[in-house]
Amino acid sequence: MDHQPKFFENLSGTGKAIGVLTSGGDAQGMNAAVRAVVRMGIYVKAKVYFVYEGYQGMVDGGDNIVEVSWESVSSILQVGGTVIGSARCKSFRTREGRLQAAYNLVQRGITNLCVIGGDGSLTGANLFREEWSGLLEELAQKGKIDQEAVKKYAYLNIVGMVGSIDNDFCGTDMTIGTDSALHRIIEVVDAIMTTAQSHQRTFVLEVMGRHCGYLALVSALACGADWVFIPEYPPEEGWEDSMCVKLSENRARKKRLNIIIVAEGAIDCHNKPITSEKVKDLVVQRLGFDTRVTILGHVQRGGTPSAFDRILASRMGVEAVLALLEGTPDTPACVVSLSGNQAVRLPLMECVQMTQEVQKAMDEGRFVEAVRLRGRSFENNLNTYKLLSHKKPDAELPKTNFNVAVLNVGAPAAGMNAAVRAAVRVGITEGHKMFAVIDGFEGFSRGKIKEISWGDVGGWTGQGGSILGTKRTLPAKYLEKIADQMRTNNINALMVIGGFEAYESCLQLHEARSRFEEFCVPICVLPATISNNVPGTDFSIGADTALNAIVETCDRIKQSASGTKRRVFIIETMGGYCGYLANMGALAAGADAAYIFEEQFDIRELQANVEHLTEKMKTSIQRGLVLRNENCNENYTTDFIYQLYSEEGKGVFDCRKNVLGHMQQGGAPSPFDRNFGTKISAKAMQWISKKLKETYRKGKVFANTDDSVCLLGMRRRNLVFQPVAELKNETDFVHRIPMEQWWLKLRPLMKILAKYKTSYDVSDSGQLEHVAMHSPKEAETGAI
């Protein structure tokens, strides 16, 4: 980035008052957003008010609009729902109601509103903003306020954040609450699978989504469901026959269970509803399978927010305050949202109009258009699901005569198996013979390699760890043996799924090409490691699951500390030299500090942290949480920090320490990791097919250019294939981390929310963009 960093210190909130409200249906993560708005608001010296019970509280006024302090939002980060309440409000739909609301806000000098809700709530906010000056004039005429107030509070600024589990809002990749709802669905599916397997049952699961099939689609992708019904993509005429044929084929392949997922708004191509009961009756009548229906209902809205939702909501909350501070009378109402891994601001009404366009397209039966309007992420999910769920008969598959091998390298990471499954199935669909290598390069050198079929990878998405087995061994010491195996098995391409070792391995194979022609084949690395320390990508498969494990443990520890009072916990996380887990874990768990290798610290900083905690113990929040990355400093060990805090905190607080260890590597993969692993693996396999075609000359594959050994990573908003030879310059090989890491920009966020003074570079935010319509081509190229 060549731009000069722009810091928000010059954005003062002095004299400004911000009201925050949650409206419409609740969603997990709303509290994290409320907390971030309140703390960022107070940090920039603005007054912040809770508006209880949504718009109803704004109309009723009185005790429903209350100024809040820093401590008011303590301990709400891990709570689902919304602590300030949400209500449907009829009176706000009338001008009289809005007149009363305007009066209540002006009484307290509130001219900045942060609204967290769905498209209905945000449309209401925008109307309120447009009418504002007229409402004030009317209040002045009625003698309720004077002309000075009309001038002083002349315009209302509005920033929205989308809180909705359905992910039905155009312009944002993920709405607050969607990831947590997927967690609830996948927990249920995983539990149902074990009982369904025991009895050879078929389960029909109904998930929320009256107008949007996102939850149904992604959960189907994440659990490998046999069939999915969504409103945007109704099944073709005669779907009853095709579905029953597919279910019985799966049973014939020794699959002991079937899972069918139905969105509550599912329809057929004549716009007639498809209900879970209808699907069940069909399966029972036609196939006689033992079939059960499970309606998930409000379970999906409940429970604690996932790590992803807490970080998303915290980022959006801070961004919302910055947008309000920069607002002028001419700024349109905007929503802060996420595009890829980038926080963006979009005009509120453009998003709302596009969201309404989707519904209109569906009502008019223009379903292809509806899918396109939903955005590239939705379209990509749908294409990947179609690719992986149904095997074409062998006679219809192309035959390429290429053999492609898949292997895992490095430490196990949740989501590796989902990636292997997607690679195998897409490879077979493309006409290749797929081979699985057992135990990484070590197993490869010993000839532990076997052909793997479509059915062999059934049910792999939900399995943690690495089914193929994985070793950290690099290929350098076995090059000759591996080359022999590649020749013997006629391997024409490699897909290597793993962490830093996988990246290093492929560099070694690339460098050995001059000696071994066998390595002159297309090679693709998929980043999979809990440490998230692979160059060339913002996220790696497995990091989200590990982050959730850390956050879950931190929640429990915080609860214990709250009970005993005046206690500080020091928690050690994994990650090698990469501070991602410690830093993001601290942000998602509401920790007071996180020590990481990337940001050097000395005894003075440790001292300042102890003093900060001593001050905190004088308030009503009498507990502390400190995370430490395992390799952040060789002398300031976890024991050293624990002893220092214990000594310095004597008489004020006591200390406990906790080393989380390998629990961070285990567990069932989170929905994000299943989905991310599946999508990038499918994309990588398509890249391999393309490269195989390009490099096939005179009866053999010969690929010796740099761009035939690539790593597929997510960079800001896009998925990019990058030659490993080029990534070399971006890598610190001694500490096994990338030289530049995007998440360090979020570090000040954690400090601000923990009440530290810091400077925060806001050069990435601030520009209002427009909602981009994408072409169908784009869905294939960059999106995740």
Side-chain angles (χ1 to χ4, degrees), residues 50-281:
F50 274 169
V51 179
Y52 286 103
E53 310 307 336
Y55 289 119
Q56 192 63 55
M58 204 191 289
V59 175
D60 295 346
D63 292 344
N64 288 305
I65 307 176
V66 184
E67 189 179 347
V68 288
S69 68
W70 189 272
E71 278 118 67
S72 308
V73 289
S74 170
S75 301
I76 67 169
L77 185 61
Q78 63 275 23
V79 180
T82 162
V83 295
I84 56 177
S86 174
R88 310 265 175 213
C89 175
K90 286 205 177 88
S91 49
F92 192 74
R93 294 186 175 176
T94 65
R95 188 168 167 95
E96 289 70 51
R98 294 193 290 277
L99 191 67
Q100 187 55 43
Y103 175 71
N104 291 331
L105 293 184
V106 169
Q107 290 300 93
R108 296 163 178 81
I110 300 171
T111 54
N112 294 282
L113 275 187
C114 180
V115 183
I116 307 162
D119 59 345
S121 316
L122 299 180
T123 312
N126 191 60
L127 176 64
F128 190 40
R129 177 183 162 277
E130 285 170 355
E131 291 182 350
W132 182 258
S133 53
L135 292 170
L136 294 200
E137 285 297 344
E138 195 175 324
L139 288 169
Q141 279 161 16
K142 289 186 174 172
K144 286 197 154 186
I145 59 173
D146 54 24
Q147 277 303 325
E148 193 164 316
V150 176
K151 274 203 203 86
K152 190 175 176 189
Y153 305 123
Y155 69 95
L156 177 69
N157 254 327
I158 284 189
V159 173
M161 279 186 264
V162 193
S164 152
I165 65 165
D166 292 341
N167 203 21
D168 56 358
F169 195 79
C170 291
T172 178
D173 282 355
M174 284 295 259
T175 56
I176 295 166
T178 305
D179 187 65
S180 303
L182 286 171
H183 272 259
R184 295 301 91 79
I185 295 169
I186 293 303
E187 282 158 17
V188 171
V189 174
D190 285 353
I192 277 176
M193 276 183 156
T194 54
T195 165
Q197 210 129 20
S198 312
H199 298 278
Q200 296 202 30
R201 281 196 174 127
T202 295
F203 268 87
V204 181
L205 259 87
E206 184 180 302
V207 301
M208 280 184 166
R210 253 191 315 253
H211 306 292
C212 178
Y214 185 88
L215 290 177
L217 178 57
V218 175
S219 46
L221 197 57
C223 71
D226 297 275
W227 203 270
V228 65
F229 293 97
I230 58 173
E232 293 88 344
Y233 185 73
E236 291 162 4
E237 289 276 11
W239 60 268
E240 296 89 344
D241 299 333
S242 353
M243 183 180 82
C244 291
V245 166
K246 181 170 177 205
L247 295 180
S248 45
E249 272 177 10
N250 281 349
R251 282 293 167 95
R253 284 201 203 112
K254 302 278 189 293
K255 190 175 177 189
R256 292 180 59 89
L257 79 160
N258 305 106
I259 300 273
I260 299 165
I261 293 183
V262 184
E264 60 180 331
I267 46 175
D268 64 17
C269 51
H270 306 295
N271 255 335
K272 299 268 184 301
I274 295 177
T275 63
S276 39
E277 279 302 328
K278 181 179 171 181
V279 175
K280 176 201 161 175
D281 295 343

Side-chain angles (χ1 to χ4, degrees), residues 159-443:
V159 173
M161 279 186 264
V162 193
S164 152
I165 65 165
D166 292 341
N167 203 21
D168 56 358
F169 195 79
C170 291
T172 178
D173 282 355
M174 284 295 259
T175 56
I176 295 166
T178 305
D179 187 65
S180 303
L182 286 171
H183 272 259
R184 295 301 91 79
I185 295 169
I186 293 303
E187 282 158 17
V188 171
V189 174
D190 285 353
I192 277 176
M193 276 183 156
T194 54
T195 165
Q197 210 129 20
S198 312
H199 298 278
Q200 296 202 30
R201 281 196 174 127
T202 295
F203 268 87
V204 181
L205 259 87
E206 184 180 302
V207 301
M208 280 184 166
R210 253 191 315 253
H211 306 292
C212 178
Y214 185 88
L215 290 177
L217 178 57
V218 175
S219 46
L221 197 57
C223 71
D226 297 275
W227 203 270
V228 65
F229 293 97
I230 58 173
E232 293 88 344
Y233 185 73
E236 291 162 4
E237 289 276 11
W239 60 268
E240 296 89 344
D241 299 333
S242 353
M243 183 180 82
C244 291
V245 166
K246 181 170 177 205
L247 295 180
S248 45
E249 272 177 10
N250 281 349
R251 282 293 167 95
R253 284 201 203 112
K254 302 278 189 293
K255 190 175 177 189
R256 292 180 59 89
L257 79 160
N258 305 106
I259 300 273
I260 299 165
I261 293 183
V262 184
E264 60 180 331
I267 46 175
D268 64 17
C269 51
H270 306 295
N271 255 335
K272 299 268 184 301
I274 295 177
T275 63
S276 39
E277 279 302 328
K278 181 179 171 181
V279 175
K280 176 201 161 175
D281 295 343
L282 183 75
V283 175
V284 173
Q285 282 159 15
R286 296 253 186 123
L287 302 171
F289 289 173
D290 185 358
T291 307
R292 298 282 192 274
V293 172
T294 300
I295 296 174
L296 265 64
H298 282 73
V299 163
Q300 296 160 83
R301 279 194 194 282
T304 179
S306 64
F308 182 94
D309 271 333
R310 297 181 196 195
I311 292 165
L312 171 66
S314 301
R315 285 174 75 177
M316 299 297 110
V318 167
E319 183 72 21
V321 173
L322 294 176
L324 285 172
L325 292 183
E326 292 170 3
T328 67
D330 308 322
T331 321
C334 74
V335 281
V336 289
S337 77
L338 192 69
S339 172
N341 183 27
Q342 187 73 20
V344 292
R345 295 179 197 174
L346 302 165
L348 189 148
M349 286 321 287
E350 278 186 29
C351 298
V352 169
Q353 276 151 6
M354 194 139 138
T355 304
Q356 288 164 352
E357 283 290 312
V358 181
Q359 193 54 48
K360 197 166 155 230
M362 277 154 54
D363 293 342
E364 293 170 5
R366 293 180 287 119
F367 295 109
V368 174
E369 181 74 356
V371 168
R372 195 170 68 88
L373 286 166
R374 275 274 178 245
R376 50 188 201 160
S377 164
F378 189 92
E379 201 169 352
N380 225 339
N381 283 321
L382 184 58
N383 292 339
T384 310
Y385 176 77
K386 289 194 287 196
L387 206 60
L388 296 172
S389 62
H390 195 54
K391 181 179 190 282
K392 287 182 183 159
D394 289 348
E396 285 178 34
L397 288 173
K399 282 277 176 288
T400 62
N401 295 325
F402 291 132
N403 295 344
V404 181
V406 183
L407 69 162
N408 292 159
V409 177
M416 276 181 162
N417 301 321
V420 172
R421 168 184 175 266
V424 168
R425 291 196 168 177
V426 174
I428 290 170
T429 307
E430 303 259 322
H432 313 317
K433 239 189 198 173
M434 296 302 296
F435 287 83
V437 177
I438 314 299
D439 296 340
F441 282 108
E442 200 172 302

Side-chain angles (χ1 to χ4, degrees), residues 12-31:
S12 166
T14 312
K16 291 199 176 185
I18 300 172
V20 58
L21 69 145
T22 51
S23 172
D26 68 316
Q28 309 94 321
M30 278 183 164
N31 290 327

